[in-house]
């Protein structure tokens, strides 16, 4: 607030989706958003392109005369995230001239106040793999498997890449006559028996 002897009562704050945002509709990513001045934390209303605190009818924060405050935005992302969320950017912007609504009487913001922007990148870190195939498996028939790298919440780690990852397949057993072992074809096109370590390559999370 300025040094004009008057505090600045804030009735509404809006944080908008910035041009650097690649996530899109925030309602698909953000569960809740809190704004705090270090003393009071307030829950905001999340819409597709903005987060809003207050409705411009009553004071939600006050900045005393000749002082300043730092406000911190904290968000909780959804679980699970939308498909393809890994690496998306949440871009935030707030303009003191347009996005902060003050009560009356009030202290004025300094002339030439510019917008404040910031970003947060969604990072999914794989902790395990999920394997899918066709709905049924006939004895002696081949099945194409897809292996994806996922985190603890089953979000796909799109950036997971690596060569020669050792995996061990299990579940299928030797044929009743003892002559045929279940096998898996590895990244070198070599058949490996179930129960043996086999090497798998990943590109953009998928084998």
């Amino acid at each position: 607030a300025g040094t004009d002897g008057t505090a600045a009562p804030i009735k509404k704050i809006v944080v908008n989706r910035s041009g650097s945002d690649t996530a899109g509709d925030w309602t698909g990513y953000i569960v809740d958003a809190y704004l705090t001045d270090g003393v009071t934390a307030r829950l905001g209303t999340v819409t597709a392109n903005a987060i809003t605190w207050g409705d411009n009818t009553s004071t939600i924060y006050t900045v005393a005369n000749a002082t300043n405050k730092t406000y911190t935005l904290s968000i909780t992302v959804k679980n699970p995230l939308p498909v393809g969320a890994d690496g998306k950017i949440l871009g935030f912007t707030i303009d003191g001239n347009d996005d902060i609504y003050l009560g009356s009487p009030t202290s004025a913001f300094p002339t030439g106040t510019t917008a404040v922007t910031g970003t947060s990148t969604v990072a999914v870190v794989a902790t395990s793999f999920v394997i899918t195939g066709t709905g049924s498996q006939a004895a002696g028939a081949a099945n194409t498997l897809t292996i994806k790298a996922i985190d603890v919440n089953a979000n796909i780690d799109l950036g997971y890449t690596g060569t020669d990852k050792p995996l061990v397949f299990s579940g299928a057993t030797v044929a009743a006559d003892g002559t045929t072992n279940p096998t898996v074809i590895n990244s070198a096109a070599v058949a490996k028996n179930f129960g043996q370590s086999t090497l798998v390559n990943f590109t953009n999370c998928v084998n």
Side-chain angles (χ1 to χ4, degrees):
T3 56
D4 49 13
T6 305
I10 301 174
K11 291 189 170 184
K12 182 179 177 180
I13 298 174
V14 181
V15 172
N16 295 291
R17 192 162 66 88
S18 72
S20 60
D21 184 283
T22 60
D25 187 344
W26 278 354
T27 60
Y29 285 79
I30 301 174
V31 176
D32 53 43
Y34 282 90
L35 193 68
T36 180
D37 62 355
V39 177
T40 303
R42 297 189 180 276
L43 178 64
T45 300
V46 180
T47 59
N49 299 306
I51 308 171
T52 303
W53 293 265
D55 58 6
N56 203 26
T57 61
S58 59
T59 300
I60 57 173
Y61 290 109
T62 298
V63 182
N65 178 61
T67 65
N68 60 70
K69 277 188 177 182
T70 298
Y71 293 88
T72 302
L73 168 62
S74 301
I75 65 171
T76 303
V77 296
K78 287 195 169 183
N79 175 24
L81 288 162
V83 175
D86 188 27
K88 294 294 186 182
I89 297 172
L90 296 169
F92 308 90
T93 184
I94 181 170
D95 190 324
N97 299 306
D98 301 320
D99 301 323
I100 300 177
Y101 297 72
L102 302 176
S104 181
T106 185
S107 179
F109 284 114
T111 302
T113 299
T114 59
V116 176
T117 62
T119 61
S120 180
T121 302
V122 178
V124 176
V125 179
T127 57
S128 59
F129 301 109
V130 59
I131 302 174
T132 57
T134 58
S136 61
Q137 175 64 55
N143 194 331
T144 300
L145 303 178
T146 299
I147 308 172
K148 294 184 178 181
I150 61 173
D151 69 4
V152 293
N153 298 312
N155 298 303
I156 298 173
D157 182 354
L158 294 177
Y160 188 87
T161 298
T163 59
D164 294 340
K165 299 292 183 180
L167 298 179
V168 176
F169 291 81
S170 62
T173 57
V174 178
D177 61 7
T179 61
T180 305
N181 287 300
T183 61
V184 61
I185 306 298
N186 66 11
S187 57
V190 176
K192 288 284 189 176
N193 291 339
F194 271 44
Q196 294 181 328
S197 178
T198 186
L199 302 179
V200 178
N201 295 338
F202 289 84
T203 302
N204 294 332
C205 93
V206 181
N207 72 300

